[in-house]
Amino acid sequence: KTVILCMGAHARPLGIPREDELTGAGISYCATCDGAFFKEKAVAVVGGGDTAVSDALYLSRFCSSVTIVHRRDEFRAAAVLVEKAKTVPNIHFALSCVPSSLIGEKQVEGLEIRSLKNGQTQVLPVSGVFVAVGITPQTELVKNIVILNEAGSIVTDEFMKTNMPGVYAAGDIRNTPLRQVVTACADGAVAATSALEFISCH
């Protein structure tokens, strides 16, 4: 009688060699999850949106240095975040640059980046690379059934209801401001309660 959609989402990869191999060994897709492992170390954040700049600000509190690598000169992030990042002494910027390869055999020891303006490369001596180039919700199955937002996430209300009666969504697949296990579990509890209420009324 009811369906709860909770297929999750996955972080968009950089698509550079050995990224999969070094995930968990210096490559991370969640600054709040893994940032504390890089205390007093130099790291890079790849991306130019709100998440990337927010991650850089968060990491700057305990990392020795944070370099934001962004493929453009202008940021998609909110201007207030960018301006704040520019005032933090240990945040640096590598603009109009893209990651090209990872340095290190068993652990990240550096990130090679390439300038989109002149093609020159340089190696950032970092121990961690935080990837913040977007999230892809796993909504292919229901894209023509329930309403999605511009990012492809399922739109719900606070009761986890979608536009379809009896259909709910929970976790990273929906329009949530925070993608963490704790919030996904909470969404699941709300969705289950809503589904039970729907069944009892129908």
Side-chain angles (χ1 to χ4, degrees):
K1 293 184 179 180
T2 64
V3 175
I4 300 175
L5 304 168
C6 45
M7 296 90 80
H10 63 266
R12 289 180 195 147
L14 296 174
I16 60 177
R18 302 180 62 240
E19 182 175 359
D20 288 344
E21 184 184 336
L22 290 172
T23 294
I27 295 283
S28 172
Y29 301 89
C30 180
T32 53
C33 308
D34 300 328
F37 293 116
F38 297 89
K39 188 176 181 181
E40 312 268 325
K41 295 182 179 179
V43 300
V45 175
V46 183
D50 286 349
T51 299
V53 180
S54 295
D55 285 355
L57 287 165
Y58 169 72
L59 293 165
S60 70
R61 299 176 197 168
F62 44 83
C63 293
S64 61
S65 128
V66 181
T67 302
I68 301 176
V69 180
H70 182 39
R71 66 184 302 113
R72 298 182 180 88
D73 280 333
E74 300 295 325
F75 286 89
R76 289 177 288 107
V80 64
L81 285 174
V82 177
E83 290 308 310
K84 186 175 181 181
K86 287 178 179 178
T87 67
V88 179
N90 63 336
I91 293 182
H92 312 285
F93 299 88
L95 303 181
S96 291
C97 291
V98 293
S100 53
S101 67
L102 295 161
I103 312 299
E105 288 301 314
K106 295 182 179 179
Q107 188 84 22
V108 171
E109 296 174 4
L111 175 68
E112 183 182 81
I113 59 174
R114 176 174 53 84
S115 168
L116 295 176
K117 291 185 175 179
N118 57 29
Q120 292 184 347
T121 61
Q122 63 171 306
V123 174
L124 302 176
V126 295
S127 300
V129 178
F130 290 86
V131 182
V133 293
I135 296 287
T136 303
Q138 307 274 60
T139 50
E140 189 67 25
L141 182 69
V142 294
K143 66 179 182 180
N144 297 316
I145 300 172
V146 297
I147 292 175
L148 308 179
N149 64 13
E150 290 181 1
S153 299
I154 297 172
V155 176
T156 73
D157 64 11
E158 67 269 32
F159 299 102
M160 306 302 142
K161 295 178 182 177
T162 69
N163 61 299
M164 294 285 291
V167 179
Y168 306 87
D172 291 0
I173 200 170
R174 76 175 196 90
N175 55 320
T176 177
L178 182 63
R179 289 181 167 85
Q180 297 284 313
V181 172
V182 67
T183 54
C185 291
D187 285 358
V190 174
T193 301
S194 295
L196 284 170
E197 289 177 0
F198 179 88
I199 290 169
S200 67
C201 295
H202 293 78

